[in-house]
Amino acid sequence: MSRETLIDLLYLFSATTFVLALKGLGSPKRARQGNMVAAFGMLVAIVATFFKYVDGHHLYHVPLMLLGMFIGLIVAVPVARFVKMTAMPQLVAIFNGVGGGAASLVSITEFVHIKSTHPATYVTLEVLLGVLIGTVSFAGSAIAFAKLQELMTGRPVTYPGQQVINGIVGLASVAVIVTILVTASEPLLWVLLALAFVLGVIFVLPIGGADVPVLISLLNAFTGLAVAASGFTLGSNLLIVAGTLVGASGILLTRLMSKAMGRSLANVLFSAFGSNVTASGATDRADGRSVRSGTPEDIAILLGFASRVVFVPGYGLAVSQGQHVLRELAEVLEEKGIEVFYGIHPVAGRMPGHMNVLLAEANVPYEQLVEMDEANSELQTADVCLVVGANDTVNPAATDDKTSPIYGMPIIHADLAENVVFLKRSMRPGFAGIENELLYNPKTTLVFGDAKDTLTKMVAAVKAN
Amino acid sequence: MGNVLLQYATVLMLAIFVGIEIIAKVPSILHTPLMSGSNAIHGVILVGSMLILGGATTNLQEILGFLAVILATLNVVGGFVVTDRMLEMFKPKAKPAAKKEEVAQ
């Protein structure tokens, strides 16, 4: 068997592990194993590549290659290991962005390489698509990171004629691609690169913070497609298979995620959702209704008399790092014979499933976590629904108010419970920037303050009773 | 040449269907780990980056290839480590309370 055949066989093995890994990631039991399998397949592919011939010679610059890998390794491992769980979404964004950047660089270098060896050759479409898509993913992910990390506003950034400008930049990119295909001009490659960069930025600017996770999933799919394009350029089946797998599954995943929010993908991407802040943030409203607030001790008494309690956690809980105290509260209540469930909205936290990860980290038993539909049936017989740092996911406007921007989003019906308690930092609206009627419901009591502090006081008060 | 391209296109088309089929029934709690895991998989661009750097014949190509290797390594390593950290949380935990009950019975 020739050397190249052996390497190709190893690549085939790697591609198979990637398929198995994606399959495994779909089931809670085998997910971790699946990830390990893919990592092993990746290692095999990387080691095999060191033995490959390019243009009839061994790989040049191997020490430099090892240095690059070493740099990447010593940066990535600590970052990935020690960044807080709440910052997970931006971490995925940044690791996706660098992948897009790498795919773009591979295509650019291949272009330059072809031109330097055979100046007269015409370039093919996939090289230019690799540059375009990879760069859009890189720039878009950088903006998504900045939004989630709050380096810039999380609100949609809009300006007059935005769609038109975006359209023009997009068309200009296509025009440049066509021109390069016809003229094989190298300077125009750098123009394409600049246009793609601008396109990535302006594409992401109007997307609000609450929708950024869906966007990251889409950009993840883009990077996959850029990798597949590089695979065409380099003639590598491995890159084509892996890139396409990620591209196709990523686009489907993006659609599933927007569906979980009751919205279409187009609506997520182009509607500048959340730019019209309707909520006033005051405790009294013009129509004279006001909210009722209580102390942690009041709530502790209420909880003490309950027989069934449902917690609805949101991102605010994670921000205040209150997960552990919430679990403690659940334990204290259970000791008193009170049933406790956690109702998890699919998009609670910043990404689908993010809340499950955060609660699992705090050692909340898996059986106490119930998904939205089950939570809604539990709530009908619940005495207290304790909403901790969530807002939009329990907003009845999603079912009642046709004019509301979140109309149609499935929600957890906290108002089905006998009593509703909100732990809130302030009257400020949620991430989507929409007023919540439930706060003014006579059933509802609000406890203002940091969720962790409030929960700690509640634990002490429940214990004392 | 045309033949090779057709072969790649076949692979592409089949991979599209596999990619769609394979995640069609994923529960929403696993969406985030799945996104993160597939993020790690497109880190296979490291193989492409190695080939590019390994074939570089000018300084410019060398610099671009070197950068690509660094970025791709960040993608691969970061992607797998983050995913593993997320999935660590899903491992079935030994339940001391439940065990005690069993002993009592």
Side-chain angles (χ1 to χ4, degrees):
Chain A
M1 190 161 30
S2 81
R3 174 197 202 92
E4 286 299 303
T5 315
L6 182 62
I7 292 174
D8 282 342
L9 270 177
L10 290 172
Y11 281 169
L12 177 62
F13 169 79
S14 302
T16 314
T17 64
F18 296 161
V19 176
L20 291 174
L22 281 180
K23 182 116 184 96
L25 282 167
S27 103
K29 274 187 198 150
R30 285 176 295 123
R32 198 169 181 205
Q33 212 180 322
N35 189 49
M36 297 285 186
V37 166
F40 179 70
M42 189 68 77
L43 189 67
V44 168
I46 292 164
V47 172
T49 306
F50 276 110
F51 298 95
K52 224 174 144 53
Y53 283 109
V54 180
D55 300 336
H57 60 75
H58 276 291
L59 294 189
Y60 295 147
H61 313 300
V62 169
L64 193 60
M65 209 174 281
L66 290 169
L67 176 67
M69 289 178 178
F70 181 70
I71 294 173
L73 198 70
I74 56 167
V75 174
V77 171
V79 170
R81 270 276 141 217
F82 301 115
V83 165
K84 279 189 299 188
M85 273 297 187
T86 42
M88 220 41 117
Q90 45 272 55
L91 209 55
V92 175
I94 209 73
F95 288 138
N96 174 59
V98 292
S104 173
L105 285 172
V106 167
S107 294
I108 292 169
T109 316
E110 187 61 15
F111 185 110
V112 175
H113 185 75
I114 294 170
K115 293 302 280 183
S116 71
T117 45
H118 307 92
T121 334
Y122 285 89
V123 281
T124 40
L125 181 62
E126 66 270 10
V127 183
L128 304 175
L129 285 181
V131 175
L132 178 70
I133 304 172
T135 309
V136 165
S137 180
F138 174 75
S141 299
I143 300 294
F145 173 82
K147 284 191 178 219
L148 290 173
Q149 192 66 32
E150 284 160 20
L151 299 176
M152 60 177 287
T153 171
R155 300 244 167 256
V157 177
T158 53
Y159 42 86
Q162 188 163 32
Q163 310 267 20
V164 179
I165 294 173
N166 292 9
I168 290 172
V169 177
L171 284 177
S173 311
V174 174
V176 171
I177 286 179
V178 172
T179 317
I180 298 176
L181 285 177
V182 176
T183 63
S185 148
E186 193 173 329
L188 272 182
L189 177 74
W190 308 107
V191 176
L192 177 65
L193 184 65
L195 277 174
F197 197 85
V198 173
L199 191 61
V201 172
I202 62 178
F203 172 63
V204 174
L205 278 180
I207 297 171
D211 289 338
V212 166
V214 180
L215 171 80
I216 296 174
S217 175
L218 184 70
L219 293 174
N220 186 40
F222 279 6
T223 305
L225 296 177
V227 170
S230 326
F232 270 82
T233 311
L234 296 171
S236 163
N237 274 324
L238 176 64
L239 263 61
I240 298 176
V241 170
T244 313
L245 276 178
V246 175
S249 64
I251 286 169
L252 180 64
L253 184 61
T254 310
R255 291 196 49 204
L256 291 176
M257 284 164 100
S258 30
K259 228 165 87 184
M261 302 200 298
R263 318 233 315 271
S264 73
L265 182 54
N267 179 279
V268 170
L269 296 180
F270 302 117
S271 69
F273 186 76
S275 54
N276 310 311
V277 180
T278 55
S280 55
T283 50
D284 288 296
R285 295 201 315 180
D287 58 11
R289 288 197 297 162
S290 62
V291 298
R292 183 173 55 160
S293 64
T295 65
E297 290 72 23
D298 298 336
I299 308 304
I301 292 168
L302 183 68
L303 289 173
F305 284 113
S307 58
R308 178 181 285 230
V309 176
V310 178
F311 293 164
V312 179
Y315 188 66
L317 174 73
V319 170
S320 77
Q321 291 291 309
Q323 308 93 298
H324 290 86
V325 194
L326 186 65
R327 190 206 67 224
E328 218 182 309
L329 179 64
E331 284 168 3
V332 175
L333 291 174
E334 283 188 310
E335 272 168 32
K336 290 180 177 273
I338 301 164
E339 262 189 290
V340 180
F341 294 101
Y342 297 76
I344 313 290
H345 192 277
V347 294
R350 287 272 162 99
M351 295 201 286
H354 193 196
M355 191 50 68
N356 298 66
V357 172
L358 294 171
L359 289 176
E361 192 194 18
N363 291 319
V364 170
Y366 195 72
E367 313 81 70
Q368 286 184 357
L369 305 181
V370 296
E371 291 196 29
M372 180 171 58
D373 294 336
E374 202 185 333
N376 283 334
S377 60
E378 294 291 348
L379 274 164
Q380 285 167 358
T381 53
D383 302 291
V384 183
C385 178
L386 184 69
V387 183
V388 191
N391 193 350
D392 299 323
T393 54
V394 293
N395 192 340
T399 39
D400 306 338
D401 180 4
K402 282 200 170 133
T403 61
S404 170
I406 58 167
Y407 182 74
M409 177 171 94
I411 57 162
I412 293 186
H413 294 278
D415 50 340
L416 291 173
E418 224 28 53
N419 296 279
V420 183
V421 178
F422 270 91
L423 303 193
K424 274 182 80 61
R425 189 176 279 276
S426 68
M427 279 302 283
R428 281 220 329 261
F431 215 34
I434 303 149
E435 178 116 67
N436 193 342
E437 276 297 315
L438 187 56
L439 299 177
Y440 302 94
N441 190 307
K443 276 185 189 177
T444 303
T445 311
L446 274 75
V447 184
F448 290 111
D450 178 74
K452 190 178 177 180
D453 287 350
T454 311
L455 287 166
T456 312
K457 284 182 196 152
M458 280 165 60
V459 171
V462 171
K463 272 186 185 161
N465 285 338
Chain B
M1 155 77 191
N3 227 346
V4 176
L5 209 57
L6 197 65
Q7 183 229 319
Y8 293 153
T10 311
V11 172
L12 175 85
M13 190 204 62
L14 293 175
I16 290 175
F17 283 103
V18 174
I20 291 172
E21 279 304 313
I22 221 161
I23 71 143
K25 287 179 293 256
V26 177
S28 69
I29 59 160
L30 283 173
H31 283 176
T32 297
L34 180 67
M35 187 206 314
S36 180
S38 60
N39 179 27
I41 288 173
H42 67 50
V44 74
I45 191 63
L46 178 55
V47 167
S49 308
M50 290 168 73
L51 295 177
I52 284 293
L53 179 58
T57 46
T58 65
N59 279 339
L60 176 65
Q61 290 169 28
E62 211 175 302
I63 292 166
L64 294 176
F66 180 59
L67 279 176
V69 168
I70 295 178
L71 293 183
T73 309
L74 284 171
N75 184 183
V76 172
V77 176
F80 281 121
V81 174
V82 166
T83 312
D84 189 58
R85 214 175 130 197
M86 278 181 200
L87 293 170
E88 213 174 3
M89 310 301 166
F90 286 94
K91 69 168 177 248
K93 290 189 187 72
K95 280 168 277 175
K99 272 182 193 158
K100 265 182 222 155
E101 272 170 32
E102 278 167 24
V103 173
Q105 281 164 6

